[in-house]
Amino acid sequence: MITIDSLRAAILAAGLVLCYFVHKHTTDKVPGSTGKGDIVGAIGAAAAVVMTLWALFGGTDNAAGDTTRPTQPSAVTTAPVNQPSSTPSL
């Protein structure tokens, strides 16, 4: 079963409601329309709203941030730029 917390569900619901109203609004505004609205515009508007709200309110996963590991020092060392290397010259 898929679980979605309430904030993210509200963001998705807001996008779906906006998609419905944009589609319904464009149905009435197109001259000579046969009852079909601008579905591409409606989906685009809903996607923009969902992405904006997601970035503002639900974009980070707090549980994933708790599992950070401390960084380990690197075992690779490099010689200084102006110093000769330890290999003998032939």
Side-chain angles (χ1 to χ4, degrees):
M1 176 171 220
I2 298 174
T3 59
I4 301 175
D5 64 347
S6 60
L7 177 64
R8 293 177 181 172
I11 290 172
L12 181 61
L16 292 174
V17 168
L18 179 81
C19 183
Y20 169 75
F21 282 117
V22 168
H23 186 265
K24 185 166 179 61
H25 177 73
T26 57
T27 301
D28 299 335
K29 299 300 178 189
V30 177
S33 70
T34 59
K36 295 184 179 183
D38 184 14
I39 190 69
V40 175
I43 291 172
V49 167
V50 166
M51 286 189 288
T52 302
L53 291 176
W54 190 276
L56 291 174
F57 300 114
T60 60
D61 189 10
N62 294 333
D66 295 338
T67 60
T68 58
R69 296 181 189 154
T71 58
Q72 299 292 330
S74 175
V76 177
T77 58
T78 59
V81 176
N82 295 329
Q83 302 260 343
S85 63
S86 62
T87 59
S89 61
L90 298 175

